[in-house]
Amino acid sequence: MPTRVSKPTIRAVNQRPHVLVVDDEMSIREVLAEGLESFGYSVVQAGNAAEAFELVQRGGVDLVLSDIEMPDETGLSLLKRIKAHDADVDVIMVTGVVDFGTAVGTIRQGASDYVSKPFNLEEVRIVAER
């Protein structure tokens, strides 16, 4: 009896990834979300790591932009939980700390990239596209 192999799902050419923006500051979340939506992304928002992880667990999130410094649970802790749950979800860390060590540390822990605050929306678009 031949073994059935399921075909991987292929994203439609014109379909943009679903992005989750996580930040405890609503104004920053909204600026990022509106900017990404203007670039054609489908965006959902979360105000903390617990809410963000719940959304990731539900599925359909391809990319997460997360603040590093948040109350209760840091973005680095969220990064670890996301990667343990689904290693294919890309995570970009957003930080107010412009420090080479922090940037390298986030990448070593599994982040795809990082963006420094204050951010330029064009820079965010370029990083998200990668």
Side-chain angles (χ1 to χ4, degrees):
M1 180 179 244
T3 305
R4 290 186 56 158
V5 177
S6 61
K7 293 181 182 179
T9 304
I10 299 174
R11 183 178 294 285
V13 174
N14 293 328
Q15 186 179 357
R16 292 293 212 156
H18 295 279
V19 180
L20 169 59
V21 175
V22 188
D23 200 302
D24 58 312
E25 293 183 49
M26 185 169 45
S27 59
I28 292 174
R29 238 184 12 246
E30 288 178 348
V31 167
L32 279 170
E34 288 175 16
L36 289 164
E37 286 171 347
S38 75
F39 298 132
Y41 289 93
S42 171
V43 181
V44 293
Q45 300 178 42
N48 59 55
E51 183 183 349
F53 190 66
E54 202 173 289
L55 290 167
V56 170
Q57 284 182 306
R58 289 184 197 162
V61 173
D62 303 301
L63 174 64
V64 176
L65 273 83
S66 176
D67 186 18
I68 292 178
E69 294 298 323
M70 294 184 289
D72 299 326
E73 183 180 354
T74 68
L76 292 175
S77 173
L78 174 62
L79 167 66
K80 289 176 190 174
R81 291 201 309 150
I82 289 171
K83 289 300 187 175
H85 172 73
D86 185 348
D88 292 333
V89 174
D90 286 312
V91 180
I92 297 170
M93 303 309 298
V94 181
T95 179
V97 179
V98 183
D99 174 309
F100 182 73
T102 301
V104 170
T106 63
I107 305 266
R108 284 186 179 150
Q109 292 183 50
S112 301
D113 210 334
Y114 76 99
V115 176
S116 298
K117 293 178 190 176
F119 49 82
N120 171 311
L121 284 176
E122 185 59 26
E123 175 190 3
V124 172
R125 184 190 64 78
I126 291 167
V127 170
E129 289 293 322
R130 277 189 266 180

